[in-house]
Amino acid sequence: DSGVTQTPKHLITATGQRVTLRCSPRSGDLSVYWYQQSLDQGLQFLIQYYNGEERAKGNILERFSAQQFPDLHSELNLSSLELGDSALYFCASSVDQGAKEKLFFGSGTQLSVL
Amino acid sequence: AQSVTQLGSHVSVSEGALVLLRCNYSSSVPPYLFWYVQYPNQGLQLLLKYTTGATLVKGINGFEAEFKKSETSFHLTKPSAHMSDAAEYFCAVSDNTNAGKSTFGDGTTLTVKP
């Protein structure tokens, strides 16, 4: 158990809908990272928050947004969903930010868009 | 820009045999390199990482990897495979600013035969 909790584990929705994925980092971790894992795109970094502030952006679509709350949990919002958004979404956390941080990953949310 | 190429999407070895998973990278700055393991229905777990210093890096579960700058490689090895090593392995590269903002390879699925 990594200590990172993601909910829900599975999510099935329809095209055009909006969903929210939740991530609770390990106790004391200030950084949260979001990733998308799909068969065609592989594993891609989406976005990072550190202590409530956005710190780095990767290949995140404009239809997607994220935030980190004062209690340090994070939410990834996906809107106007398309079939191609079906993927496994991971979050990870680390104590701080920087190149030598060790990341701890959650078990992911499997999103299916029908 | 950075990229990672994992040679061989599937590798099969017998229990007790040498495990060799290949990873080549491209980076315009000195790279930080990582190997992660993903077991079914779980998130990624860090096996080992190279940041600076000694080029032979030892990780968990008996794995090690050697950073070879001249070959732009970071191959993962384990002298003797165990059934529990069966999983998917990801090589990743980041710059020297953010461990989470990594570029991942496509992954190599390791099968261990009894």
Side-chain angles (χ1 to χ4, degrees):
Chain A
D1 182 10
S2 67
V4 178
T5 303
Q6 289 188 248
T7 56
K9 291 193 182 304
H10 302 277
L11 196 50
I12 302 174
T13 188
T15 55
Q17 295 297 304
R18 172 189 168 96
V19 297
T20 297
L21 313 183
R22 182 187 171 101
C23 172
S24 295
R26 293 188 322 152
S27 177
D29 284 2
L30 298 178
S31 268
V32 171
Y33 312 80
W34 285 97
Y35 300 85
Q36 179 194 61
Q37 186 178 33
S38 63
L39 286 176
D40 53 345
Q41 301 280 347
L43 186 59
Q44 294 192 93
F45 166 73
L46 295 178
I47 196 164
Q48 177 206 1
Y49 277 79
Y50 175 78
N51 202 21
E53 305 266 339
E54 181 186 307
R55 284 306 171 103
K57 244 179 176 178
N59 298 323
I60 187 165
L61 299 173
E62 285 192 13
R63 299 184 286 109
F64 296 0
S65 64
Q67 53 184 328
Q68 186 179 27
F69 294 86
D71 67 352
L72 301 177
H73 92 271
S74 179
E75 293 181 356
L76 180 67
N77 300 294
L78 315 177
S79 61
S80 303
L81 285 168
E82 303 175 358
L83 296 177
D85 297 327
S86 295
L88 189 53
Y89 291 85
F90 288 108
C91 83
S93 72
S94 63
V95 174
D96 207 322
Q97 54 181 348
K100 297 188 177 183
E101 288 298 306
K102 180 176 180 179
L103 272 62
F104 294 86
F105 283 77
S107 297
T109 294
Q110 180 68 58
L111 174 66
S112 298
V113 182
L114 305 178
Chain B
Q2 298 171 310
S3 66
V4 174
T5 301
Q6 290 185 238
L7 299 174
S9 58
H10 291 84
V11 170
S12 180
V13 300
S14 298
E15 192 173 18
L18 171 71
V19 175
L20 171 60
L21 305 183
R22 300 178 187 273
C23 172
N24 288 90
Y25 71 90
S26 171
S27 179
S28 56
V29 297
Y32 283 23
L33 295 157
F34 308 83
W35 274 101
Y36 291 91
V37 61
Q38 185 179 25
Y39 298 103
N41 302 314
Q42 293 187 29
L44 277 70
Q45 181 182 3
L46 180 68
L47 277 177
L48 49 80
K49 65 180 178 182
Y50 168 79
T51 55
T52 57
T55 57
L56 183 62
V57 181
K58 294 186 185 300
I60 62 171
N61 302 339
F63 285 93
E64 63 181 37
E66 186 171 10
F67 170 60
K68 292 187 176 181
K69 184 178 178 181
S70 61
E71 298 177 9
T72 60
S73 69
F74 191 58
H75 301 331
L76 181 70
T77 61
K78 182 174 180 178
S80 176
H82 192 271
M83 296 297 290
S84 62
D85 294 327
E88 190 162 19
Y89 292 79
F90 292 90
C91 181
V93 62
S94 73
D95 61 23
N96 57 2
T97 62
N98 191 328
K101 193 180 176 183
S102 293
T103 298
F104 292 84
D106 290 336
T108 297
T109 300
L110 176 66
T111 301
V112 182
K113 299 175 291 186

